[in-house]
């Protein structure tokens, strides 16, 4: 791994100062950026509250702007005013931010905790380290929930139910961005799963996806925050809608809503932290201390006790047990559980890192038509 001069200096500081950075002056305030809702609540319970309890005087402030992370970090870099300290992003956005020099490169083994099984951090995280700037946290999926009482005895078992307004009349909710929507549109228009990204890379393939989405455009409520779909389902305003699997778990298991979950063609992806490039030394020291704590074996296992996302560390998996409050086993609710992953769709984050800006612009133009 090639490290910048800044990273080498930071890595040397990390080793010399030790895991607690006892010899470094650290900022007391820290702004963390995440997605809000049940996911951010799991982060708060699993590691930000315990971290503040163990570090008197530290104040963590949450910002729920992860969906706009790339645009906002670009603007901050342009203005020379980086107000965020640590940002939770999906894999493709981490690659984009790293490629643009907006996120700091990480020496995972020097800066993160080793696994409790003796593995190094890079061994423990394995393939989830998809970028030199990415600090993995979870494996999650984008999938579809439906109102069980609105579909009766005909519960959907295919992702293509989204496009079947005859069998399942009513409004749908879909993300107001292309990721997942474009793949599902092509899949349900007859494109083989293995060919989808090759097709989507062409103007003709993009037109095909938009044409399929056109067939339900008037039946869709477009969401910007993942918490919107569970609320729309709870209110009975939609018959089905896409969101992250953990949001649906929260609505079903914790709130007792009459919602079912469709695992077919769930879009598997990684989510993790990036550190904005150019942080002052005291803020960087605090961030590195926190992120080493928050992504260790125990803390990632603790997070899985609050939400149904798989921890990105292999050493955390054996520690995943029951829900912290409900007492139910969490493993069967993970997207990686064998019963849930019979027909997964693994998001190609490299594709989205390359095509996201262009397809975002085309998608927004299509929505405005």
């Amino acid at each position: 791994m090639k490290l910048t001069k800044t990273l080498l200096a930071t890595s040397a500081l990390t080793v010399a100062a030790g895991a607690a950075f006892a010899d470094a002056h650290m900022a007391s305030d820290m702004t963390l950026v995440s997605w809000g809702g049940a996911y951010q609540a799991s982060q708060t319970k699993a590691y930000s509250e315990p971290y503040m309890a163990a570090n008197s005087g530290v104040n963590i402030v949450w910002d729920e702007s992860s969906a706009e992370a790339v645009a906002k970090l670009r603007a901050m870099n342009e203005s020379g005013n980086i107000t965020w300290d640590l940002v939770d992003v999906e894999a493709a956005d981490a690659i984009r931010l790293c490629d643009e020099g907006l996120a700091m490169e990480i020496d995972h083994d020097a800066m993160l905790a080793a696994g409790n099984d003796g593995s190094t951090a890079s061994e423990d995280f394995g393939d989830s380290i998809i970028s030199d700037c990415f600090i993995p946290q979870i494996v999650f999926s984008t999938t579809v929930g439906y109102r069980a009482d609105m579909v009766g005895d005909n519960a959907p078992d295919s992702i293509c139910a989204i496009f079947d307004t005859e069998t399942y009349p009513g409004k749908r909710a879909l993300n107001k961005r292309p990721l997942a929507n474009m793949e599902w549109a092509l899949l349900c228009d007859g494109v083989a799963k293995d060919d989808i990204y090759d097709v989507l890379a062409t103007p003709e393939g993009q037109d095909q996806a938009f044409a399929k989405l056109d067939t339900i455009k008037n039946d869709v409520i477009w969401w910007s925050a993942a918490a919107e779909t569970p609320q729309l389902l709870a209110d009975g305003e939609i018959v089905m809608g896409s969101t992250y699997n953990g949001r649906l778990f929260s609505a079903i298991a914790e709130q007792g809503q009459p919602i079912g979950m469709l695992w077919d063609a769930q879009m598997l992806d990684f989510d993790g932290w990036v550190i904005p490039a150019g942080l002052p030394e005291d803020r960087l020291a605090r961030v590195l201390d926190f992120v080493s704590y928050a992504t260790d074996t125990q803390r990632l296992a603790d997070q899985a006790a609050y939400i149904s996302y798989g921890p990105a560390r292999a050493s955390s998996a054996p520690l995943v047990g029951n829900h912290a409050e409900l007492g139910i086993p969490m493993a069967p609710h993970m997207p990686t559980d064998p019963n849930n992953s019979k027909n997964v769709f693994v998001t190609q984050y490299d594709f989205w890192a390359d095509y996201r800006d262009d397809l975002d612009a085309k998608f927004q133009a299509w929505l405005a038509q």
Side-chain angles (χ1 to χ4, degrees):
M1 181 184 297
K2 294 182 179 180
L3 301 177
T4 63
K5 291 181 179 179
T6 300
L7 177 57
L8 287 169
T10 304
S11 181
L13 170 65
T14 305
V15 174
F21 291 86
D23 297 329
H25 173 66
M26 292 189 282
S28 58
D29 293 331
M30 185 165 46
T31 299
L32 308 185
V33 184
S34 190
W35 302 87
Y39 176 56
Q40 189 171 304
S42 74
Q43 295 174 303
T44 300
K45 293 172 184 175
Y47 36 80
S48 72
E49 288 180 350
Y51 183 82
M52 285 191 290
N55 293 271
S56 179
V58 174
N59 180 45
I60 292 177
V61 177
W62 288 94
D63 183 311
E64 300 180 5
S65 300
S66 281
E68 305 168 89
V70 174
K72 289 196 171 186
L73 281 172
R74 285 171 176 167
M76 288 181 191
N77 184 70
E78 183 94 12
S79 67
N81 183 25
I82 310 298
T83 59
W84 292 347
D85 295 293
L86 190 63
V87 187
D88 187 302
V89 294
E90 296 172 358
D93 284 346
I95 294 172
R96 289 202 290 166
L97 290 167
C98 201
D99 289 347
E100 294 179 28
L102 301 177
M104 191 183 87
E105 293 183 10
I106 300 297
D107 183 335
H108 293 80
D109 290 335
M111 296 180 177
L112 303 180
N116 73 343
D117 57 0
S119 60
T120 65
S122 59
E123 291 169 341
D124 206 10
F125 284 114
D127 292 340
S128 64
I129 300 177
I130 51 82
S131 164
D132 288 346
C133 302
F134 188 60
I135 304 169
Q137 290 182 86
I138 59 164
V139 180
F140 74 100
S141 75
T142 301
T143 187
V144 169
Y146 57 89
R147 275 289 295 232
D149 55 346
M150 293 173 69
V151 300
D153 296 330
N154 193 25
D157 59 7
S158 166
I159 194 65
C160 298
I162 292 173
F163 299 94
D164 185 357
T165 55
E166 182 176 346
T167 305
Y168 303 102
K171 292 289 187 180
R172 287 95 164 96
L174 292 175
N175 197 350
K176 198 176 182 178
R177 59 178 187 162
L179 199 153
N181 294 326
M182 303 290 275
E183 288 98 329
W184 288 336
L186 290 178
L187 186 68
C188 295
D189 203 43
V191 178
K193 186 193 295 187
D194 291 343
D195 296 334
I196 281 178
Y197 286 105
D198 289 336
V199 172
L200 195 53
T202 68
E204 296 79 12
Q206 295 163 18
D207 289 344
Q208 182 181 353
F210 284 124
K212 184 66 174 178
L213 288 167
D214 272 330
T215 65
I216 58 168
K217 189 175 183 180
N218 293 334
D219 298 297
V220 175
I221 297 174
W222 300 98
W223 58 264
S224 299
E228 293 177 48
T229 289
Q231 189 60 55
L232 290 167
L233 286 167
D235 293 342
E237 294 187 31
I238 58 173
V239 65
M240 64 182 65
S242 69
T243 188
Y244 306 127
N245 73 282
R247 305 299 181 113
L248 292 171
F249 168 82
S250 178
I252 296 167
E254 296 174 352
Q255 300 169 26
Q257 297 290 342
I259 297 172
M261 195 183 306
L262 179 63
W263 291 105
D264 183 58
Q266 58 164 320
M267 301 284 298
L268 283 178
D269 206 343
F270 293 116
D271 195 275
W273 299 112
V274 295
I275 301 172
L279 290 183
E281 185 175 314
D282 62 332
R283 287 168 60 191
L284 179 57
R286 173 60 67 192
V287 167
L288 289 171
D289 188 57
F290 171 79
V291 82
S292 177
Y293 171 89
T295 61
D296 72 11
T297 296
Q298 187 61 57
R299 248 54 61 178
L300 291 186
D302 289 347
Q303 185 176 3
Y306 296 100
I307 198 162
S308 56
Y309 297 142
R313 277 187 182 265
S315 66
S316 299
L319 303 182
V320 174
N322 294 338
H323 190 280
E325 296 162 1
L326 300 177
I328 61 175
M330 291 299 288
H333 300 282
M334 298 293 175
T336 50
D337 182 83
N339 289 325
N340 302 331
S341 56
K342 294 176 182 178
N343 184 33
V344 300
F345 197 116
V346 179
T347 306
Q348 284 194 12
Y349 34 80
D350 289 333
F351 172 89
W352 283 109
D354 291 338
Y355 286 88
R356 180 65 184 276
D357 284 340
D358 181 52
L359 285 178
D360 268 347
K362 289 184 177 181
F363 197 84
Q364 297 311 313
W366 171 78
L367 283 176
Q369 292 174 357

